[in-house]
Amino acid sequence: MKRILFFMALFSSFVACKDNRQAQQTPEIENFEYMVDKFYDLQILRYRVPGFESLTPQQKELLYYLTEAALEGRDILYDQNCKYNLCIRRTLEAIYENYPGDKSSEDFLNLEKYLKRVWFSNGIHHHYSGDKFIPDFSASFFADAVRSIDAGLLPLQDGETADDLIAKLTPVMFDPAVLAKRTNQAPDVDLIVTSANNYYEGVTQAEAEAFYNNMKDLTDETPVSYGLNSKLVKENGVLVEKTYKVGGLYTEALERVVGWLEKAAAVAENDKQKEVIETLIAFNKTGDLEKFDEYCIKWVYDVDSRIDFVNGFTETYGDPLGMKASWESLVNFKNLEATERTVKISSNAQWFEDHSPVAPEFKKTDVKGVTAKVITAAILGGDCYPATPIGINLPNSNWIRHDHGSKSVTIENITEAYAQAALGNGFAEEFMWSDTEIARHNKYGYLTDNLHTDLHECLGHGSGKLLPGVDGDALKAYGATIEEARADLFGLYYVADPKLLELGLVPDMEAYKAQYYDYMMNGAMTQLVRIEKGKTIEESHMRNRQLIAQWCLEKGAADKVMELRKRDGKTYLVVNDYEKLRTLFGQLLAEIQRIKSTGDFEAAKQLVETYAVQVNPELHEEVLARYAELHLAPYSGFVNPVYEPVVKDGKIVDVLIDYSEGYVEQHLRYSKDYSVLPTF
């Protein structure tokens, strides 16, 4: 099950609430340099860490240790994404730093851009679509460049020469047919064999499913997440799990993660937080999934600490079977003022559940432990870096969520960075139907985007229940899309509810229309800028948004609830009836919750394949052309701030923050300071 929301990260990178946001800027924001770099379809931003200076010395020390633990797992993700990623990155970095030829040549500059893209995607496949990207420099230039530098600087295996390295990497990098898709979700193919990720080796989809189905006991009310922290391989004809743990797979990096976590535990804010960290350490040392569940439960109940973190094998988007987790980390601290908003939402969780439009048998009768907060990100790591979510709800285990609850966060300093970087870029004027929609967005957009994130993470993912005996993995490759659609629809349905006005979260009942229009315009049209011509939609969040938009366009057509309308040769979304649109959201939410609760795989497949995958080629070409005129990058990522401890008499007495590090400088430094895994 999936817990990360990317919608606002997508939309706010295009359009900002110019009037309100500019009026609210402080001199500190105005003088902050958000933009760092831009290449291909990507832009690199900085984010501020407001409130860091007000933390206590102990909190800063704790945060510093946790940020170091976050960075130590970087190479794990590279290797999980594809077995050749570390070799390719290390080879390219060696060329970039040591090439004796003309570094102003077109080939070398294209190599630099390719390396930047590899850093952004944590490998050779696009971070969002999963398609392999092909270098703009030639294979012959690559071969010459490899041969031109000292072989001792290359990631050569025992007995291997530079020519051997070239022969090994050339088809992987330059042949479009080799390892073409990081995570394949196409129907009616072997999803494991056709995926380039490194979660399985020598194993078919049928073998993997049988292997894990034999482990599962569907009568177990507290099942562990089988396969979460392991690679499944075939050795001498026998399937074997290689567990990620100290002494096991990825031990070199995990030993260092544990070392920093041990330092963090020694300066924890309280005993409960210390116990959380120590339990995570125990999980990393043993690989025991029951210990992981114990850690998750303790983490859920730690609601008083100001500093918080995610560290380890968390989300399963990268596995086509939705079981194996990628390594990620996010270190943060609570935004005390903004958290008042999410507290109001989470404290009314039972009301929202009771009034949901889904069938009674699929609702929770006793919503437990829903806590929510607005946070300030301090460091991004692994699968949260450079591209990051703007909201998270964890843990993912259904039974832990049911019995103990969950924690939801909205990362407001990241949403601020997106909004500030997008000021005045012309996106709204190009794609919104009229001045009415633009004015409404400028007035309410930032507020309702954040509210939708809060509702999605805090309540949407935590709502509903599986019926007894339903396997949480029953929806297989469609599970992520269905889960994200469920949470998005919950947020969309309630962002228009008078309850938000009663709670003081919106100024009036016009505000929700900004979110409805923004969301549906994005799902029906503008997110297509992220798709290459001729491609279908494969990323789960994009599928979710198109599913909702296309289903509502179809079901609301008779009443003209909304439509795609032409004007001056351009297509626009027009919403004619916002109240009826909310009704459609409720109807679709009810059906998707039924699918989730009953594990109805065929219904999930029908919904996703009918509404979420295919792209209208004429509309797609139009959107791409209009967007190209704006010269915008559809994807954004970040550089992290640098934390420097101040040491006196052998003890850390303060930590300073520096925002000046560049994109290239940061990644080269990370590759030197946090890269201990073997190349293969």
Side-chain angles (χ1 to χ4, degrees):
M1 290 169 297
K2 317 304 176 197
R3 304 295 176 221
I4 298 184
L5 172 70
F6 286 95
F7 163 61
M8 187 174 158
L10 167 66
F11 192 76
S12 291
S13 66
F14 296 156
V15 59
C17 314
K18 291 191 290 184
D19 298 342
N20 278 6
R21 294 301 292 169
Q22 286 179 331
Q24 295 171 12
Q25 281 186 344
T26 65
E28 180 185 14
I29 293 177
E30 288 177 348
N31 296 328
F32 189 82
E33 293 290 335
Y34 287 93
M35 186 65 68
V36 178
D37 201 352
K38 189 174 180 180
F39 48 94
Y40 290 116
D41 55 353
L42 309 168
Q43 63 179 3
I44 308 299
L45 308 176
R46 290 187 178 91
Y47 59 93
R48 298 187 312 124
V49 189
F52 173 76
E53 290 79 5
S54 66
L55 297 176
T56 68
Q58 181 180 338
Q59 288 173 324
K60 289 181 180 180
E61 183 177 3
L62 170 63
L63 185 144
Y64 171 70
Y65 293 143
L66 291 173
T67 61
E68 290 295 297
L71 298 175
E72 294 289 5
R74 176 175 180 249
D75 279 1
I76 294 176
L77 180 64
Y78 274 85
D79 191 70
Q80 289 180 312
N81 283 343
C82 180
K83 68 181 290 185
Y84 294 96
N85 278 338
L86 286 175
C87 190
I88 290 172
R89 191 196 78 199
R90 288 168 175 168
T91 300
L92 293 172
E93 288 171 345
I95 295 170
Y96 181 78
E97 293 194 285
N98 301 283
Y99 181 60
D102 182 5
K103 290 191 175 184
S104 65
S105 69
E106 183 178 358
D107 275 328
F108 186 85
L109 293 176
N110 284 333
L111 181 142
E112 179 183 37
K113 287 201 299 181
Y114 180 78
L115 175 56
K116 287 181 178 181
R117 184 183 259 185
V118 168
W119 286 332
F120 192 98
S121 297
N122 295 290
I124 61 173
H125 297 86
H126 195 281
H127 76 288
Y128 210 74
S129 70
D131 294 325
K132 188 173 76 172
F133 41 82
I134 305 300
D136 290 330
F137 54 91
S138 67
S140 60
F141 171 78
F142 174 70
D144 290 343
V146 170
R147 295 188 187 104
S148 73
I149 64 175
D150 185 343
L153 301 171
L154 296 170
L156 301 177
Q157 305 301 103
D158 288 344
E160 194 174 45
T161 67
D163 284 339
D164 294 331
L165 181 67
I166 293 165
K168 178 167 61 180
L169 296 186
T170 296
V172 176
M173 293 171 60
F174 292 93
D175 187 340
V178 176
L179 301 175
K181 195 79 177 176
R182 185 182 64 211
T183 305
N184 195 6
Q185 298 185 74
D188 306 320
V189 298
D190 189 308
L191 299 179
I192 290 178
V193 172
T194 58
S195 293
N197 62 51
N198 198 20
Y199 295 113
Y200 307 89
E201 192 159 356
V203 179
T204 67
Q205 180 179 346
E207 289 172 328
E209 289 178 343
F211 181 84
Y212 287 112
N213 285 339
N214 288 337
M215 291 184 175
K216 294 178 180 177
D217 177 2
L218 296 182
T219 66
D220 186 353
E221 295 182 353
T222 60
V224 300
S225 300
Y226 289 110
L228 188 76
N229 64 329
S230 67
K231 177 179 178 178
L232 186 64
V233 302
K234 186 180 288 185
E235 294 182 346
N236 300 318
V238 178
L239 295 180
V240 178
E241 281 191 304
K242 301 291 187 179
T243 302
Y244 313 149
K245 64 177 182 176
V246 172
L249 193 55
Y250 302 138
T251 184
E252 298 88 351
L254 291 174
E255 288 170 24
R256 293 175 65 157
V257 171
V258 165
W260 290 111
L261 290 176
E262 288 172 341
K263 291 178 180 291
V267 294
E269 296 179 79
N270 51 61
D271 289 341
K272 187 173 290 187
Q273 186 184 62
K274 181 179 182 181
E275 193 172 357
V276 169
I277 298 171
E278 289 177 339
T279 308
L280 178 59
I281 292 170
F283 167 66
N284 279 321
K285 288 182 175 180
T286 64
D288 182 352
L289 286 168
E290 290 187 357
K291 185 62 68 174
F292 178 73
D293 286 347
E294 182 184 341
Y295 152 71
C296 289
I297 293 168
K298 291 177 179 178
W299 180 78
V300 165
Y301 286 113
D302 178 20
V303 296
D304 297 324
S305 301
R306 180 83 185 275
I307 309 293
D308 205 353
F309 70 101
V310 174
N311 182 295
F313 305 101
T314 308
E315 301 288 354
T316 59
Y317 297 103
D319 177 8
L321 302 187
M323 299 179 66
K324 300 189 175 297
S326 60
W327 198 94
E328 70 177 47
S329 187
L330 170 68
V331 183
N332 62 86
F333 56 90
K334 189 185 298 184
N335 181 329
L336 298 176
E337 180 179 355
T339 293
E340 294 177 8
R341 181 182 77 228
T342 55
V343 169
K344 288 181 180 179
I345 292 173
S346 60
S347 62
N348 285 275
Q350 191 65 60
W351 185 93
F352 287 102
E353 182 78 356
D354 292 343
H355 291 81
S356 169
V358 308
E361 61 267 31
F362 306 139
K363 296 181 183 180
K364 289 180 178 177
T365 56
D366 183 18
V367 178
K368 295 180 180 179
V370 176
T371 61
K373 58 186 176 181
V374 178
I375 64 169
T376 297
I379 206 80
L380 310 171
D383 222 356
C384 289
Y385 171 83
T388 184
I390 47 85
I392 296 175
N393 179 280
L394 292 170
N396 287 332
S397 170
N398 277 304
W399 74 266
I400 294 178
R401 302 170 67 79
H402 182 273
D403 292 354
H404 302 280
S406 62
K407 286 201 294 194
S408 301
V409 300
T410 300
I411 315 174
E412 198 149 297
N413 64 324
I414 295 297
T415 65
E416 176 211 74
Y418 282 124
Q420 294 297 327
L423 287 173
N425 64 15
F427 181 88
E429 290 77 9
E430 175 60 37
F431 285 102
M432 291 186 175
W433 172 246
S434 73
D435 290 343
T436 299
E437 285 78 17
I438 294 172
R440 192 181 283 139
H441 176 83
N442 288 344
K443 185 175 182 180
Y444 301 117
Y446 188 75
L447 167 66
T448 55
D449 275 342
N450 280 328
L451 281 173
H452 183 258
T453 301
D454 296 339
L455 291 163
H456 172 115
E457 300 295 352
C458 177
L459 302 181
H461 281 307
S463 66
K465 65 181 181 181
L466 299 182
L467 295 185
V470 173
D471 185 354
D473 299 318
L475 303 183
K476 300 180 182 178
Y478 301 106
T481 299
I482 293 298
E483 176 58 25
E484 292 303 327
R486 190 176 74 94
D488 262 2
L489 286 163
F490 198 98
L492 289 167
Y493 184 79
Y494 277 118
V495 79
D497 200 283
K499 186 70 172 179
L500 297 193
L501 185 64
E502 175 190 322
L503 294 174
L505 296 173
V506 292
D508 54 58
M509 288 310 297
E510 279 288 299
Y512 80 92
K513 294 179 182 179
Q515 178 63 195
Y516 276 24
Y517 188 85
D518 291 355
Y519 188 96
M520 299 305 279
M521 180 183 71
N522 184 51
M525 286 181 53
T526 54
Q527 73 168 3
L528 294 178
V529 302
R530 293 187 162 198
I531 302 296
E532 295 181 16
K533 284 185 181 181
K535 298 283 189 178
T536 59
I537 298 175
E538 297 198 37
E539 199 281 330
S540 297
H541 296 85
M542 292 184 70
R543 283 186 167 190
N544 142 49
R545 291 188 291 268
Q546 177 164 290
L547 188 161
I548 293 171
Q550 294 299 332
W551 188 94
C552 289
L553 277 167
E554 179 185 294
K555 303 303 179 184
D559 295 329
K560 292 188 176 180
V561 175
M562 67 177 190
E563 58 187 309
L564 293 177
R565 189 183 300 177
K566 286 278 191 179
R567 183 180 66 202
D568 299 328
K570 295 181 179 181
T571 306
Y572 297 88
L573 177 80
V574 179
V575 178
N576 298 309
D577 193 325
Y578 283 93
E579 291 184 5
K580 286 186 178 179
L581 181 55
R582 188 192 184 213
T583 299
L584 290 175
F585 289 150
Q587 292 171 358
L588 183 55
L589 174 59
E591 170 60 8
I592 283 184
Q593 183 62 64
R594 183 199 68 78
I595 290 171
K596 174 83 173 182
S597 294
T598 61
D600 190 342
F601 174 82
E602 290 302 323
K605 179 179 179 180
Q606 188 274 333
L607 261 185
V608 174
E609 295 295 338
T610 301
Y611 298 103
V613 178
Q614 299 303 317
V615 174
N616 179 312
E618 292 80 15
L619 178 61
H620 188 197
E621 187 168 357
E622 177 196 329
V623 170
L624 289 174
R626 292 165 66 184
Y627 188 78
E629 291 295 317
L630 299 174
H631 303 289
L632 302 177
Y635 302 99
S636 297
F638 294 89
V639 292
N640 283 316
V642 179
Y643 297 93
E644 293 289 346
V646 178
V647 180
K648 186 176 181 180
D649 298 328
K651 295 182 180 180
I652 295 178
V653 295
D654 196 7
V655 178
L656 305 179
I657 187 169
D658 176 28
Y659 296 109
S660 65
E661 190 167 42
Y663 179 69
V664 171
E665 292 77 13
Q666 182 155 105
H667 281 275
L668 289 176
R669 179 172 66 87
Y670 284 180
S671 291
K672 289 180 174 64
D673 294 349
Y674 306 103
S675 190
V676 294
L677 290 186
T679 297
F680 289 96

